[in-house]
Amino acid sequence: MQKVVVLDFGAQYGQLIARRVRDLNVYSEIVPCDMPAADIAAMEPSAIILSGGPASVYAPDAPELDPAVFDLGLPVLGFCYGQQIMAKTLGGVVGHTEVGEYGPATITRVAPSRLLDGTPAEQTVWMSHRDSVAMVPDGFVITSSTGVCPVASMECAERNLYATQFHPEVRHTTYGTQMLSNFLFGVCGLEPSWSMDNLIDSLVDDVRSKVGDQRVILGLSGGVDSSVVGALCAKAIGKQLTCVFVNHGLLRKGEPEEVEEVFTKQFDVDFVHVHAEERYAKLLEGEANPERKRQIIGTQFWEEFFTVAQRLAEGGNPVKFLAQGTIYPDIIESGARKTGGKASTIKSHHNLIPFPEGVSFELIEPLDHFFKDEVRALGTALGLPDYIVWRQPFPGPGLAVRIIGAVTPEKLEILKNADAVVREELDAYNARLFEETGERNSEHSCWQYFAVLPDIKSVGVMGDERTYQRPIIVRAVESTDAMTADWAKLPYEVLGRISSRIVAEVPGVNRVVYDVTPKPPGTVEWE
Ligand code: XMP
């Protein structure tokens, strides 16, 4: 399989480069910037891309690369820090420009360039730098400049070395994709032949060769990421995979049945449904503090999980590996990987899991290179149903953080039923928007939507009778990453239907309100 290796110099979104390459149907993987040239060669890549990075090339601890990378005879493309390290390593000079450039800039072509072929002589690119190349190495020509940056791009076509000070991987660089295509297909002569099926094959091979004939355990939450890992490992190792589904009784209506159906009927794995509902109910009894609730639920999950692992070991099936649905944005968020170093990722994840004394697993994280939408595409290609692949985010502690105050069976029943109505109506609303726009996350579609049960009652009237019952809060937000969110501007008619259905169909509720708070200042969840 043709492959492009991205050396990561600590770019904030280094994976974005690998992602853009994959978008052009060429497989790409990110590796630490200091990987020895011989190890890179062993990966048999067709080309190398050097990412950007926050350091100055002359800083004492500036990330370096093995200079022999340039002797592998492979085409190399560098962006930003990647251009500077290429220049410095090959005998050029990097200096400070008077003023940094941050944001859009206009480059002007100053020489013919294979990289810039088919793009305008003047065009907008995205810059983010203070240092820049002051003198190009021997054999290089400057191909574009800005008023501030004399070497906006350079190349040595003879050795197939190309570099830009700007960031072609960022969408704000208008012709960035064209430049990347020029490199991949023009310079490197690659074929745009990589597809999701190739990816599945290679991930399956990776899992098989790592696992051998050992046992793997996976905690299924019902969410997208763990389900996709489950489906992938099922394809790779079948019954050597034990999927543990800890049912804490705090999932949404119908969800436990859906998970069980998929992982017993569709995939041939060892599926363990742990009915822990009563143990959780007991532990949570009377607990109103949101953080304590979270803590109890999280700790008990691992208790239940390790009990299954222990049982397997006692039955002669010791577990060697723990599979996890870590995806690339998780690694960014946890700040675990600063220079693409795999070891640091594993360590930090281990630290998050309270392994009991004497228990140790090796981690398998087959999705840790991929973005959410790639994971979804993978899930679909593996045959997972849309209701799992397109499932909205759901907090680990489940409905416990949507019941304000202590959880009781009565409140849980009310919330599950009210939430089912909210989801049914807003699933339908989103489906209508999808039909109209062709986009799953179009401008007005809801990203996350659910019901919340506050710890109060209010007066109402039903028929001839006064009621004193609970209200339901409807929360529906538009967002892309949950860092910020806005309340969804739902049509009144949709809100009206949700309200009348909840009051009519859910006993114990006499009022429905809609939360119109953006984040910030509100959070998405109420606890
Ligand atoms: P907030 O409420 O912080 O939520 O605006 C942002 C996103 O995170 C989810 N969330 C959680 N997920 N455990 C989780 O796994 C939690 O304790 C938790 N709290 C919030 C929330 O649903 C939203 O998508």
Side-chain angles (χ1 to χ4, degrees), residues 294 393-397 401-402 447-448 482 519 522-525 527:
R294 277 190 168 79
F394 185 64
V401 290
R402 294 178 180 171
W447 186 76
Q448 199 174 1
K519 173 185 178 177
T523 46
V524 174
E525 302 290 346
E527 278 199 340

Side-chain angles (χ1 to χ4, degrees), residues 45-260:
S46 306
I48 295 171
I49 297 180
L50 313 178
S51 85
S56 165
V57 284
Y58 292 117
D61 54 354
E64 295 275 353
L65 86 178
D66 180 348
V69 162
F70 295 107
D71 301 327
L72 294 173
L74 295 170
V76 183
L77 172 62
F79 300 153
C80 193
Y81 188 90
Q83 163 163 288
Q84 296 164 17
I85 196 92
M86 184 188 288
K88 181 185 163 223
T89 310
L90 298 175
V93 176
V94 176
H96 279 300
T97 29
E98 294 282 302
V99 255
E101 275 179 304
Y102 301 95
T106 302
I107 57 163
T108 305
R109 182 106 51 98
V110 295
S113 160
R114 285 179 84 184
L115 192 68
L116 305 180
D117 233 13
T119 70
E122 291 215 340
Q123 57 182 296
T124 305
V125 298
W126 190 258
M127 289 281 196
S128 178
H129 70 106
R130 177 157 281 281
D131 291 356
S132 65
V133 175
M135 197 180 88
V136 300
D138 277 350
F140 276 74
V141 291
I142 299 172
T143 53
S144 72
S145 308
T146 73
V148 174
C149 177
V151 188
S153 59
M154 63 178 197
E155 64 190 51
C156 173
E158 215 171 88
R159 293 181 65 192
N160 275 339
L161 304 178
Y162 297 82
T164 64
Q165 180 55 60
F166 54 87
H167 290 270
E169 76 276 25
V170 172
R171 290 277 181 230
H172 308 281
T173 295
T174 317
Y175 295 92
T177 306
Q178 174 72 47
M179 294 172 200
L180 209 48
S181 298
N182 287 346
F183 178 70
L184 297 174
F185 309 123
V187 171
C188 307
L190 294 171
E191 291 288 326
S193 58
W194 178 78
S195 68
M196 221 13 110
D197 288 341
N198 301 140
L199 175 63
I200 291 175
D201 289 345
S202 85
L203 291 175
V204 160
D205 283 350
D206 288 351
V207 171
R208 276 189 193 143
S209 67
K210 183 160 185 189
V211 167
D213 59 0
Q214 304 286 333
R215 178 146 300 273
V216 179
I217 197 166
L218 165 72
L220 276 182
S221 68
V224 185
D225 305 337
S226 64
S227 299
V228 173
V229 172
L232 182 72
C233 292
K235 190 172 166 73
I237 54 167
K239 290 268 191 210
Q240 275 169 262
L241 172 70
T242 298
C243 289
V244 181
F245 174 58
V246 176
N247 187 347
H248 51 26
L250 303 163
L251 287 173
R252 293 168 290 194
K253 196 173 181 174
E255 229 163 30
E257 294 78 10
E258 284 171 1
V259 175
E260 175 151 358

Side-chain angles (χ1 to χ4, degrees), residues 167-363:
H167 290 270
E169 76 276 25
V170 172
R171 290 277 181 230
H172 308 281
T173 295
T174 317
Y175 295 92
T177 306
Q178 174 72 47
M179 294 172 200
L180 209 48
S181 298
N182 287 346
F183 178 70
L184 297 174
F185 309 123
V187 171
C188 307
L190 294 171
E191 291 288 326
S193 58
W194 178 78
S195 68
M196 221 13 110
D197 288 341
N198 301 140
L199 175 63
I200 291 175
D201 289 345
S202 85
L203 291 175
V204 160
D205 283 350
D206 288 351
V207 171
R208 276 189 193 143
S209 67
K210 183 160 185 189
V211 167
D213 59 0
Q214 304 286 333
R215 178 146 300 273
V216 179
I217 197 166
L218 165 72
L220 276 182
S221 68
V224 185
D225 305 337
S226 64
S227 299
V228 173
V229 172
L232 182 72
C233 292
K235 190 172 166 73
I237 54 167
K239 290 268 191 210
Q240 275 169 262
L241 172 70
T242 298
C243 289
V244 181
F245 174 58
V246 176
N247 187 347
H248 51 26
L250 303 163
L251 287 173
R252 293 168 290 194
K253 196 173 181 174
E255 229 163 30
E257 294 78 10
E258 284 171 1
V259 175
E260 175 151 358
E261 163 102 11
V262 169
F263 283 92
T264 54
K265 303 240 166 82
Q266 203 178 332
F267 297 104
D268 191 23
V269 298
D270 174 35
F271 179 83
V272 182
H273 188 147
V274 182
H275 282 284
E277 298 96 315
E278 284 180 15
R279 288 190 287 280
Y280 274 91
K282 215 171 201 154
L283 285 166
L284 286 168
E285 209 171 288
E287 184 56 70
N289 179 304
E291 284 319 303
R292 280 285 304 144
K293 286 200 253 181
R294 277 190 168 79
Q295 214 171 29
I296 290 169
I297 293 165
T299 310
Q300 186 60 22
F301 172 82
W302 290 110
E303 282 280 322
E304 302 285 349
F305 190 80
F306 289 128
T307 304
V308 175
Q310 212 156 12
R311 230 178 20 234
L312 283 165
E314 285 161 11
N317 271 317
V319 176
K320 172 96 187 281
F321 295 96
L322 170 66
Q324 285 209 296
T326 313
I327 68 170
Y328 186 66
D330 299 334
I331 291 172
I332 297 266
E333 268 162 35
S334 68
R337 180 150 54 175
K338 297 240 158 37
T339 57
K342 197 84 183 93
S344 58
T345 311
I346 288 171
K347 186 156 171 278
S348 90
H349 279 278
H350 261 300
N351 289 344
L352 296 177
I353 302 168
F355 286 125
E357 197 79 9
V359 173
S360 73
F361 300 124
E362 271 182 51
L363 277 189

